[in-house]
Amino acid sequence: QSVIRHGVADHNKNTFMELQRKKVHRYVIFKIDEKKKEVVVEKTGEPAESYEDFTASLPDNDCRYAVYDFDFMTSENCQKSKIFFIAW
């Protein structure tokens, strides 16, 4: 048996860091490029995009991986954000 290992391109890491640290993206959708055997960025969302924009960007019948930066207010009126990893 052989195991296919998917690599992660530096561009993917940089795009995630832009979401995490610089808040450049609301979300990043990744897919596996079977020809290259690596994970690639399929789409990024602008900071003003909503969760509905994000879900509308996901395919109906295919797998994707995504990170979504969710902003919320705490009960003490403190602005927070959490990054969610989503397997679609």
Side-chain angles (χ1 to χ4, degrees):
Q1 290 180 321
S2 65
V3 176
I4 298 174
R5 295 180 185 215
H6 297 286
V8 178
D10 286 339
H11 173 70
N12 297 343
K13 295 174 190 173
N14 294 337
T15 304
F16 174 75
M17 297 307 276
E18 289 174 348
L19 177 143
Q20 182 185 35
R21 293 190 179 151
K22 299 179 183 178
K23 304 293 184 183
V24 173
H25 311 294
R26 171 64 55 200
Y27 59 86
V28 180
I29 299 174
F30 302 94
K31 71 176 186 175
I32 297 174
D33 183 324
E34 292 297 334
K35 291 180 184 175
K36 294 180 181 179
K37 300 293 185 208
E38 71 179 14
V39 177
V40 297
V41 172
E42 181 178 54
K43 182 176 184 193
T44 58
E46 297 294 320
E49 289 191 52
S50 68
Y51 185 75
E52 289 73 25
D53 296 323
F54 164 68
T55 57
S57 298
L58 295 168
D60 290 333
N61 297 315
D62 204 0
C63 298
R64 294 293 183 272
Y65 303 94
V67 288
Y68 184 86
D69 188 5
F70 178 69
D71 292 329
F72 62 98
M73 294 289 272
T74 66
S75 58
E76 295 85 23
N77 283 335
C78 183
Q79 181 72 35
K80 297 278 187 171
S81 74
K82 293 282 184 185
I83 295 174
F84 291 92
F85 175 78
I86 299 163
W88 177 259

